[in-house]
Amino acid sequence: DTAVSQTPKYLVTQMGNDKSIKCEQNLGHDTMYWYKQDSKKFLKIMFSYNNKELIINETVPNRFSPKSPDKAHLNLHINSLELGDSAVYFCASSQISSGNTIYFGEGSWLTVV
Amino acid sequence: AQSVAQPEDQVNVAEGNPLTVKCTYSVSGNPYLFWYVQYPNRGLQFLLKYITGDNLVKGSYGFEAEFNKSQTSFHLKKPSALVSDSALYFCAVRDSGATNKLIFGTGTLLAVQP
């Protein structure tokens, strides 16, 4: 009964590869997010979708492409992986209204070698 | 622009003692403030939030936070620390605008010694 689930939890891949991280929420929320946590534990938003529409697109290389097939799913595809992409990627969801709590998944630890 | 600051990279406290993890904010308009905890190799877990109302907010695991408008602070507190409280704590503020985006502080590592 995990609220926000993301797969895989751990991913080790070589530079230049393309990889995807999948996320699903069963909370009935209308908005989903991708956050990145770097090696210094700093958290920064990357993307957000509200009812399958992109509403936040921070300054992220265009090698990163989010896709939301429906409002319960938000996937992250990364092309031509670089060493600097190594990080923890968190999926999250909430209702869009101000002050609503954002619930996070367990994270996907990506290591590019 | 909205922001939060966590002035301490690490807080050390003995088990059984009270703990405080500090957070100050800078916002235009009314602040929506949050605390999250991250245990090792885990995701972020929501602890509590301040939207409006009572300045003392109670949350999960016995934590509470006090909203202080004059000092622009939202410190996290617990009367008696447990070793199991050792984790990374993040303060966050909702960004201005129509989205529900959170701006996070840099995190404070809480170490509770037995």
Side-chain angles (χ1 to χ4, degrees), chain B residues 88-104:
Chain B
L88 188 57
Y89 290 80
F90 289 96
C91 181
V93 64
R94 182 192 175 273
D95 199 13
S96 55
T99 66
N100 201 22
K101 181 172 89 172
L102 286 180
I103 308 295
F104 283 90

Side-chain angles (χ1 to χ4, degrees), chain A residues 37 99-102 106, chain B residues 36 38 42 49 94 100 102:
Chain A
Q37 186 175 44
N100 279 306
T101 301
I102 296 180
E106 288 288 296
Chain B
Y36 285 83
Q38 184 179 20
R42 301 294 302 277
K49 66 182 178 184
R94 182 192 175 273
N100 201 22
L102 286 180

Side-chain angles (χ1 to χ4, degrees), chain B residues 1-3 25-31 94 96:
Chain B
Q2 321 286 71
S3 66
Y25 65 88
S26 174
V27 302
S28 54
N30 294 322
R94 182 192 175 273
S96 55

Side-chain angles (χ1 to χ4, degrees), chain A residues 67-103:
Chain A
K67 282 190 173 55
S68 182
D70 56 63
K71 66 178 188 179
H73 295 84
L74 179 61
N75 304 323
L76 182 65
H77 187 76
I78 315 171
N79 288 327
S80 303
L81 278 155
E82 300 178 356
L83 292 176
D85 297 331
S86 295
V88 185
Y89 294 87
F90 286 106
C91 179
S93 74
S94 77
Q95 286 295 109
I96 189 69
S97 303
S98 296
N100 279 306
T101 301
I102 296 180
Y103 293 94

